[in-house]
Amino acid sequence: MPRRAPDPAQVRAELLAVAPWVRDPDTVDRPARPVLAAAVRSSLRTLEHAAPGHSVEVRVPPFGAVQCVEGPRHTRGTPPNVVETDAATWLGLALGLTTWAEAADRLSASGHRAPEIARWLPVVDLRRTSDETSE
């Protein structure tokens, strides 16, 4: 069983804290490392709970990695289904600011099951949220 489920309000707050930078990294200062780490980790844990399982590993170095999506469990060596990307790309996906197709050149997705994680994204959809700047 995955770790304890993250608090949705906390996940939302952590993701909204980094949203301005994700949206406009050229003009907005990069968030402090602890703020960035909290947003990545809580969004990964949310994915882990939304799509429980062990067939796909999602890595966002150096902040975290989770296994998710139902299917065969992999226990040795490099898993056959891996998604790996940087924090900015992951957070864009987690916030709904970037689609899987748009992020394809900024992430590594190996294995036929890796793209399945797109089904559980975004974690917090800023495109559907009109009040993201007021929180």
Side-chain angles (χ1 to χ4, degrees), residues 2 14 31 33 46 49 61 65 69 73 76 81 83 85 87 96 107 111-112 114 122 127:
E14 290 169 347
R33 184 178 171 90
T46 299
H49 281 271
V69 183
R73 181 183 193 107
R76 296 184 57 141
N81 299 289
V83 174
T85 191
L107 58 80
H112 71 282
R127 295 171 301 176

Side-chain angles (χ1 to χ4, degrees), residues 18 21-22 24-25 27-33 35-36 61-63 86-88:
V18 300
W21 171 72
V22 174
D24 192 7
T27 60
V28 176
D29 289 339
R30 181 181 174 99
R33 184 178 171 90
V35 173
L36 201 54
F63 300 113
D86 62 280

Side-chain angles (χ1 to χ4, degrees), residues 47 51 55-58 68-69 80-84 90 93 99-101 104 107-121:
L47 175 66
S55 67
V56 178
E57 185 167 295
V58 181
C68 55
V69 183
N81 299 289
V82 176
V83 174
E84 185 167 336
W90 170 252
L93 290 165
T99 66
W100 184 265
L107 58 80
S108 169
S110 63
H112 71 282
R113 307 244 3 235
E116 290 183 31
I117 70 157
R119 180 173 144 202
W120 290 280
L121 296 172

Side-chain angles (χ1 to χ4, degrees), residues 2-18:
R3 295 170 276 219
R4 187 170 54 108
D7 173 27
Q10 182 178 351
V11 172
R12 181 176 175 76
E14 290 169 347
L15 286 171
L16 291 177
V18 300

